[in-house]
Amino acid sequence: MASDPGFVRLRLASRVTLTGLLVLGALMLLHVFSVGLSPAAFSAGLLFAIQGVVAIRETSASDRVQTRLLAGAAGFAMLALCAHLQPHPRVVDGLFLVTAFTAVFIRRWGQRWTAVGMFAFMASFGGAYFRPSPTDLPGILLAILVTGAAAHVVREILLPDRPLGDLRRALAGADHRVGRVAALVGEAARVGWTARRERRVRAAHRGVRDALDVVETLLPDEPQRGPAPPGAAPLAIELFDLNLALESVLAEALEPAGDSDEARQHLSISLRRLAGLRRRLRKASAALTEADFTSAPASPAASTPATAASIWTDEPTRLAIQVTLACALAMAGGMWLSVDRWFWAVLTAFLVFTNVQSRGDTALRGLNRAGGTAVGIAAGMVLATLMHGQFGPSLALCVLFTFLAFFFLQVSYGTMTFFLTVTLSLVYGLLGNFSPELLILRLEETVIGTASGILVSFLIFPQRTSDTAGRAVTAFLTDLDRLLQAIEERLDGHGSEWRIYAVSRALDRRHAAILVASRPLGRTWPSGARQRSVRIGRLRFAVIAHWAHRLAAASIGPVADAEGLRRELERCRSAVAGVSVPGFFERSTSLPRPVPDRGDGAVARDELDPILAARAIAHTLAQLLPGERDDAGAKLAESTGSA
């Protein structure tokens, strides 16, 4: 639970592995005792087994069944087209590109059509690679039906989602990680801080943030109407408090004056308070019931189709064109290298555009795939040679490495690619097709696909990473303004505590989106000054998010000076409106100036000062106002110190 809160990664990897084993076993039985199945049928079954777990993500069982049926039908239709068009290989190649465009374009309509597009594309890949004939179609249809049934049984019966148990496990994992941070801080306070201990504490704190991100995804959604779920509101309060207390502990432990007796006394108080909050969080977790997860969640806003005037600037259309051109370029390069194995290049070109936001993201994903493939081929050659002629151990290793690949899918794309490449090497050995030349060819095709994807992302409709990060900054500031507005409504008697919690959670997601969008900016190829600017910009948002948490937590109860808080909120909203977003990370060259505190960093939640928190947000934002940073920051700091 400490390494995988909520067992999210464990469940995903187990579902993929178990579904694959069930499908493979069922198809082998059918092949031996009933009907002979073609390689295309086996490939369709195993490809759809993986996609049936990874791509189908609806929250309700009925929605998942409908998506599974639609996706299976789309996949079979694509394989049937490939089978009937086999006498015309160039038409099949063109169909491959049309499918790639369509699969990306229909993502605009949500998770269901994203899954349908992935099934169709993987079916076109299998059709082009295994070249089924029309006589293979009954067996392919049977394999797809078996796969759908197996995936449904695993997803809904053998390994279903259990929201209450999952959330409790995630909370226990987060609690364990918080305890580790507290233990490391306490040890360092006793024996002295070193650079190594500070790195361990910061790494452990990142683990806490990751665990809290998992908890956030498992919390009940904001209801469309009515009160919040009965146990969710107290739990949200405790999570607010725990996060704030942990940040206070770290701030006090790592500040320059942390070696004084007074600082050690404050740190001791904060650690005791943190321990008390952990106990309260466990009680809130134990108080959760199934009723907390039966409220109707807020329905997502319907997607608006792009108009003719905006079609060329529409994100799904732009990405679909990029993917299609990258696949076409990879197809040409792959055919030049091998007329029989060019499909790996096209598959790589398609996948490097999955879950990316900018050209920097595409480059990182492509390099991770190429690197994982290269290392996996080296390891695969060794293992396939050692396991030659040993069917049982080779099959067991295939199962193990498939599990590990999808266990690390959400952590490292390169690691996932490594394990899948090793698995493929062992599969080639089991089929008697293994050769070092074949694996080297796969690496070369992967490099061609990676280069095609990166080249297109930089030359065709390029999305600069800084522009993507700027949009993430805009979204963060928008939700920050929504939080300030929700607090104002609360002061006027029109808002609710749950609304403040919900918007605060949305703000956390926006903060995480900024970290993801700006990640390529902090990599090794920019200059040192650019990297420092990116780090400072990310730190500034961490400061704002911290004070936003404190402001939200202090505003859910009675406020002593409502008028004073309302004035500070207006000042904050004015500062939000005045921030210039373009080039934000290039201009973040000075560290955020600290706000004079009143010494209440370790006090209880009901003693938190919302006015101080609002002033801290305005103070940090004022450092970003064009032409007013120094004057505005000085005025805010002066007003805070005199309050």
Side-chain angles (χ1 to χ4, degrees):
M1 285 190 297
S3 62
D4 181 22
F7 295 160
V8 175
R9 292 157 49 202
L10 174 65
R11 185 163 49 246
L12 174 65
S14 299
R15 284 173 176 168
V16 171
T17 307
L18 183 56
T19 302
L21 286 174
L22 288 177
V23 169
L24 182 60
L27 294 182
M28 290 180 68
L29 289 175
L30 288 172
H31 179 71
V32 173
F33 296 106
S34 181
V35 293
L37 297 176
S38 65
F42 275 94
S43 69
L46 293 175
L47 285 174
F48 287 8
I50 294 174
Q51 292 302 319
V53 176
V54 176
I56 297 177
R57 302 177 183 177
E58 275 84 3
T59 56
S60 72
S62 61
D63 286 343
R64 287 193 292 269
V65 169
Q66 295 175 35
T67 301
R68 206 177 297 282
L69 292 173
L70 279 173
F76 178 73
M78 185 57 56
L79 286 166
L81 277 174
C82 291
H84 286 95
L85 292 173
Q86 280 307 316
H88 310 283
R90 299 287 77 83
V91 178
V92 174
D93 297 344
L95 180 63
F96 204 166
L97 297 179
V98 171
T99 305
F101 177 89
T102 306
V104 177
F105 185 80
I106 64 176
R107 290 176 186 174
R108 67 175 65 242
W109 289 293
Q111 285 291 344
R112 169 167 296 170
W113 295 103
T114 298
V116 170
M118 284 301 299
F119 269 71
F121 177 80
M122 296 308 294
S124 67
F125 169 77
Y129 193 93
F130 291 97
R131 299 174 182 175
S133 65
T135 58
D136 295 330
L137 292 179
I140 290 174
L141 178 60
L142 181 60
I144 292 175
L145 293 174
V146 168
T147 299
H152 180 78
V153 169
V154 171
R155 178 67 176 79
E156 309 300 339
I157 299 175
L158 299 181
L159 293 171
D161 287 332
R162 292 184 172 87
L164 178 59
D166 294 342
L167 179 56
R168 282 177 173 168
R169 281 192 295 268
L171 287 168
D175 176 69
H176 179 88
R177 293 190 180 191
V178 172
R180 174 165 175 76
V181 173
L184 291 173
V185 169
E187 177 188 6
R190 289 192 304 271
V191 301
W193 283 96
T194 62
R196 181 172 179 270
R197 287 196 178 95
E198 182 174 341
R199 286 195 300 269
R200 290 176 64 193
V201 168
R202 294 191 183 279
H205 184 222
R206 287 194 295 272
V208 172
R209 291 202 302 267
D210 293 340
L212 292 179
D213 287 342
V214 174
V215 171
E216 192 274 333
T217 63
L218 298 173
L219 283 172
D221 289 324
E222 179 187 7
Q224 288 180 288
R225 61 183 65 86
L235 180 61
I237 295 174
E238 300 303 337
L239 286 172
F240 268 131
D241 283 350
L242 184 68
N243 198 14
L244 290 174
L246 183 62
E247 291 180 358
S248 296
V249 165
L250 290 175
E252 293 173 6
L254 299 175
E255 66 180 7
D259 291 334
S260 66
D261 292 338
E262 182 180 1
R264 280 192 289 269
Q265 183 179 4
H266 278 296
L267 179 60
S268 177
I269 294 172
S270 296
L271 286 171
R272 286 198 298 271
R273 178 173 179 258
L274 185 64
L277 288 172
R278 291 177 63 198
R279 290 191 293 270
R280 285 165 50 182
L281 183 65
R282 294 182 202 123
K283 291 180 180 179
S285 174
L288 288 170
T289 65
E290 295 290 349
D292 294 311
F293 298 89
T294 57
S295 302
S299 58
S303 299
T304 303
T307 62
S310 63
I311 191 81
W312 295 109
T313 58
D314 179 62
E315 178 72 14
T317 305
R318 178 194 62 79
L319 188 59
I321 293 173
Q322 284 184 311
V323 169
T324 306
L325 291 176
C327 288
L329 187 61
M331 183 182 293
M335 286 183 174
W336 172 77
L337 190 64
S338 170
V339 295
D340 296 322
R341 303 285 181 176
W342 57 267
F343 313 100
W344 293 116
V346 180
L347 181 64
T348 298
F350 182 88
L351 293 179
V352 296
F353 280 97
T354 303
N355 295 326
V356 297
Q357 302 181 36
S358 64
R359 62 189 188 185
D361 259 353
T362 305
L364 288 177
R365 187 175 177 88
L367 293 174
N368 282 333
R369 184 174 180 86
T373 301
V375 179
I377 284 174
M381 287 181 180
V382 175
L383 278 176
T385 302
L386 293 175
M387 294 292 106
H388 179 68
Q390 302 183 52
F391 181 83
S394 296
L395 185 61
L397 286 176
C398 286
V399 173
L400 174 63
F401 291 145
T402 299
F403 174 87
L404 292 175
F406 288 93
F407 184 80
F408 287 103
L409 172 62
Q410 298 172 338
V411 176
S412 169
Y413 185 66
T415 303
M416 184 208 72
T417 304
F418 164 79
F419 283 116
L420 284 183
T421 303
V422 176
T423 302
L424 185 64
S425 303
L426 293 171
V427 169
Y428 283 148
L430 289 173
L431 298 177
N433 296 328
F434 171 78
S435 69
E437 293 78 14
L438 181 61
L439 294 181
I440 295 299
L441 177 61
R442 182 175 186 273
L443 176 59
E444 293 171 339
E445 295 283 358
T446 300
V447 171
I448 288 175
T450 298
S452 300
I454 294 176
L455 185 65
V456 169
S457 69
F458 274 78
L459 297 181
I460 309 298
F461 301 133
Q463 293 293 300
R464 298 176 67 242
T465 304
S466 56
D467 293 340
T468 304
R471 289 193 293 271
V473 170
T474 300
F476 177 89
L477 293 174
T478 300
D479 274 350
L480 176 61
D481 187 71
R482 287 178 58 220
L483 175 62
L484 300 173
Q485 183 181 13
I487 295 173
E488 287 181 342
E489 293 174 354
R490 171 73 173 164
L491 293 177
D492 295 334
H494 305 307
S496 66
E497 293 182 2
W498 183 253
R499 178 64 176 165
I500 295 177
Y501 304 146
V503 179
S504 298
R505 288 167 57 187
L507 187 66
D508 287 339
R509 288 191 290 270
R510 297 300 190 187
H511 182 212
I514 288 177
L515 299 181
V516 172
S518 62
R519 179 177 53 196
L521 294 174
R523 294 297 179 174
T524 55
W525 55 74
S527 65
R530 174 73 172 275
Q531 292 185 39
R532 181 177 186 274
S533 176
V534 172
R535 287 196 299 269
I536 291 174
R538 290 158 68 105
L539 174 62
R540 203 180 302 280
F541 283 107
V543 170
I544 295 173
H546 166 77
W547 285 106
H549 276 162
R550 292 189 65 171
L551 174 62
S555 302
I556 59 178
V559 177
D561 186 3
E563 289 302 320
L565 178 57
R566 189 175 283 106
R567 288 193 298 271
E568 296 302 329
L569 292 175
E570 291 176 359
R571 181 182 296 178
C572 282
R573 297 189 69 182
S574 176
V576 168
V579 172
S580 178
V581 173
F584 171 83
F585 287 100
E586 284 80 357
R587 296 195 310 272
S588 296
T589 56
S590 60
L591 289 169
R593 293 190 295 271
V595 178
D597 206 334
R598 301 179 186 177
D600 60 354
V603 300
R605 177 179 57 83
D606 57 350
E607 296 178 37
L608 288 174
D609 188 346
I611 294 179
L612 177 64
R615 284 177 175 168
I617 295 173
H619 173 80
T620 307
L621 291 171
Q623 300 168 37
L624 306 174
L625 298 179
E628 300 180 11
R629 299 179 191 176
D630 296 334
D631 294 340
K635 291 178 181 178
L636 285 168
E638 181 181 355
S639 64
T640 303
S642 62

